[in-house]
């Protein structure tokens, strides 16, 4: 046992290791398994975490068995809500979490670190991921940036308590950390809608940037880029991940507060494309639509108190100038009423994006890639950079 582990923690970690070896594409390497023993996850979680869809508080003192079970489940653990502010009786929403161990290890394998690599992590959180890297590579080779000053201080303390002291920088992760550049690897533990130019500038040629990806339409996928000698980066997506969005890329828009106005007079039409085909369990379709419509977001409104409408799908542009609504009457699955307003016809764009995706065989995220130029331009592609994804709108 390590000095920070008792019998209960050791049993819990053994159970997690067994689950990981069944979940990951390949068994854990001996190096990463030793690292997990040396840097136990529970040592980085706060006294209070939040569990379940309703984000119920769970404290180590009041419910030690539940807390430890949560610490070693292969699930994300919410470690902060509402940016650290007390929500009172208001809505609770997660603002920081410890990622599921399986995605942590999958990303570390994709990062492909080697002895001597300099690594920059964006999004310190609890400090556990930085601790794993520091143990594997040496603390002197790891820098981690955290935008939330309270989280940064706590992570630094967690790392110190574990005998690991990589550089913990408080600041905006989008700016990277130029003082430590160039880096061989940059890894983000938050999703981005655009890869910051600073990351490209601070990665040495041949270096890797690994980041979760998100569009306003859909949060899904990992993007692994390799930077070339001109400062351009290119690489493929892989599926099965969803992370909180980088704070400086957040979007705070609401349909009735920011988009739809009483004086708007939309155009009416009918569609045979089910709104669930582009928002339901078809993750591959949603991913492809997001790549084509980079500025369109959506939200569902059930029981909207509109005669003859059981559910309504809202769509809007991020600049709030165009919107659409697709109504289901609760009966037929063959036609849906469409309302569109503004200079763009958003549902028509979604239909075109979905049709294109179907026409190329319905590929999954692993078939797509992205090229990011030094000037910040992003070009998604299918199969190879010579086949750019069409932009709708």
């Amino acid at each position: 046992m390590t000095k920070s582990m008792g019998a209960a923690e050791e049993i819990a970690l053994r159970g997690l290791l067994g689950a990981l070896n069944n979940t990951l594409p390949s068994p854990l390497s001996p190096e990463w398994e030793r690292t997990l023993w040396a840097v136990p996850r529970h040592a980085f979680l706060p006294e209070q975490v939040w569990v379940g869809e309703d984000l119920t508080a769970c404290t180590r003192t009041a419910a030690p068995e539940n807390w430890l079970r949560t610490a070693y489940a292969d699930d994300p653990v919410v470690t902060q809500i509402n940016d650290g502010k007390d929500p009172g009786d208001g809505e609770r929403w997660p603002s920081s979490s410890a990622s599921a161990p399986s995605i942590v290890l999958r990303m570390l394998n994709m990062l492909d670190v080697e002895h001597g690599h300099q690594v920059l992590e964006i999004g310190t959180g609890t400090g556990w991921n930085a601790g794993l890297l520091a143990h594997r590579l040496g603390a002197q080779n790891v820098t981690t940036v955290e935008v939330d000053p309270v989280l940064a201080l706590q992570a630094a303390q967690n790392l110190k308590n574990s005998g690991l002291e990589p550089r913990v920088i408080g600041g905006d992760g989008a700016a990277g950390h130029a003082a430590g550049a160039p880096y061989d690897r940059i890894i983000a533990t938050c999703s981005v809608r655009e890869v910051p130019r600073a990351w490209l500038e601070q990665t040495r040629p041949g270096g890797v940037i690994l980041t979760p990806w998100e569009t306003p339409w859909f949060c899904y996928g990992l993007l692994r880029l390799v930077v070339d000698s001109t400062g351009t980066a290119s690489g493929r997506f892989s599926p099965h991940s969803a992370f909180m969005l980088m704070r400086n890329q957040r979007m705070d828009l609401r349909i009735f507060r920011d988009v739809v106005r009483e004086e708007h007079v939309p155009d009416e039409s009918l569609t045979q494309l089910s709104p669930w085909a582009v928002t339901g369990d078809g993750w591959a379709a949603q991913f492809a639509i997001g790549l084509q419509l980079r500025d369109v977001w959506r939200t569902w409104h059930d029981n909207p108190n509109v005669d003859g409408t059981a559910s309504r799908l809202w769509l809007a542009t991020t600049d709030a100038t165009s919107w659409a609504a697709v109504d289901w009457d609760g009966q037929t699955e063959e036609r849906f009423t469409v309302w569109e307003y503004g200079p763009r016809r958003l549902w028509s764009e979604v239909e075109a994006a979905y049709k294109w995706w179907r026409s190329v065989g319905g590929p999954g995220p692993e078939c797509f890639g992205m090229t990011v130029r030094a000037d910040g331009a992003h070009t998604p592609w299918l199969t190879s950079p010579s086949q750019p994804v069409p932009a709708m709108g």
Side-chain angles (χ1 to χ4, degrees):
M1 287 183 229
T2 68
K3 62 183 179 180
S4 59
M5 294 185 72
E9 289 82 2
E10 182 179 5
I11 292 171
L13 178 52
R14 288 190 184 280
L16 175 62
L17 289 172
L20 291 175
N21 281 322
N22 289 328
T23 301
L24 293 171
S26 59
L28 282 170
S29 69
E31 294 83 3
W32 284 122
E33 184 165 340
R34 287 194 295 269
T35 298
L36 288 174
W37 280 107
V39 189
R41 190 185 193 215
H42 76 273
F44 288 80
L45 297 186
E47 163 70 17
Q48 178 169 277
V49 297
W50 288 264
V51 299
E53 293 184 0
D54 57 353
L55 295 177
T56 300
C58 174
T59 64
R60 188 173 189 176
T61 301
E65 292 183 0
N66 288 342
W67 186 93
L68 185 62
R69 188 180 305 113
T70 299
Y72 283 101
D74 187 19
D75 294 308
V77 180
V78 175
T79 55
Q80 185 197 68
I81 59 173
N82 298 69
D83 287 343
K85 300 178 179 63
D86 184 359
D89 295 329
E91 177 187 5
R92 294 184 176 189
W93 46 273
S95 53
S96 188
S97 67
S99 301
S102 56
I103 189 62
V104 169
L105 269 297
R106 187 157 70 91
M107 291 179 67
L108 289 174
N109 282 330
M110 291 175 67
L111 200 62
D112 191 26
V113 293
E114 297 178 2
H115 180 73
H117 274 171
Q118 289 288 322
V119 178
L120 173 65
E121 179 194 41
I122 307 299
T124 313
T126 66
W128 186 50
N129 198 67
L132 296 173
L133 285 164
H135 181 271
R136 179 74 183 270
L137 298 173
Q140 73 279 6
N141 293 322
V142 178
T143 302
T144 180
V145 181
E146 173 57 53
V147 68
D148 187 308
V150 174
L151 294 180
L153 286 172
Q154 185 58 60
Q157 188 62 53
N158 292 340
L159 289 159
K160 185 176 182 179
N161 292 343
S162 297
L164 300 162
E165 297 190 60
R167 288 178 292 278
V168 179
I169 307 297
D172 182 2
H177 183 61
Y183 301 99
D184 300 282
R185 300 288 188 269
I186 292 182
I187 181 172
T189 62
C190 54
S191 63
V192 298
R193 293 177 176 173
E194 291 186 350
V195 178
R197 292 173 62 179
W199 297 2
L200 275 68
E201 294 166 355
Q202 294 172 25
T203 303
R204 71 173 73 250
V208 171
I209 298 172
L210 179 62
T211 181
W213 179 257
E214 175 174 329
T215 62
W217 190 264
F218 193 46
C219 175
Y220 191 67
L222 295 170
L223 177 59
R224 188 183 192 272
L225 300 168
V226 177
V227 180
D228 68 18
S229 58
T230 70
T232 293
S234 191
R236 290 185 174 275
F237 290 99
S238 63
H240 311 311
S241 74
F243 283 72
M244 295 176 192
L245 186 63
M246 176 178 281
R247 292 193 184 186
N248 74 352
Q249 294 187 13
R250 283 177 179 173
M251 177 184 70
D252 182 22
L253 286 174
R254 300 188 184 184
I255 289 292
F256 295 114
R257 186 190 68 187
D258 305 308
V259 180
V260 178
R261 299 286 182 263
E262 289 186 5
E263 64 270 19
H264 290 176
V265 181
D267 295 327
E268 180 181 358
S269 63
L270 293 175
T271 183
Q272 293 181 319
L273 177 60
S274 166
W276 289 282
V278 296
T279 64
D281 294 332
W283 291 3
Q286 293 189 70
F287 183 84
I289 289 168
L291 288 182
Q292 296 171 80
L293 296 168
R294 296 277 300 282
D295 64 344
V296 179
W297 59 284
R298 43 86 172 185
T299 186
W300 276 98
H301 189 181
D302 293 323
N303 302 313
N305 196 28
V306 176
D307 288 343
T309 300
S311 294
R312 171 172 285 176
L313 173 66
W314 287 100
L315 295 69
T317 53
T318 54
D319 65 5
T321 60
S322 296
W323 60 263
V326 185
D327 290 349
W328 176 54
D329 62 10
Q331 298 177 13
T332 179
E333 301 287 347
E334 298 176 353
R335 66 180 185 279
F336 305 86
T337 303
V338 178
W339 310 91
E340 293 176 296
Y341 176 84
R344 290 168 59 181
R345 292 297 178 257
L346 296 189
W347 184 250
S348 298
E349 293 180 11
V350 169
E351 287 186 315
Y354 182 77
K355 181 178 180 180
W356 175 83
W357 174 74
R358 291 288 300 271
S359 74
V360 294
E366 68 280 358
C367 297
F368 291 93
M370 179 75 74
T371 297
V372 185
R373 294 204 316 253
D375 62 6
H378 287 57
T379 303
W381 41 264
L382 175 64
T383 307
S384 74
S386 62
Q387 299 180 10
V389 171
M392 303 296 173

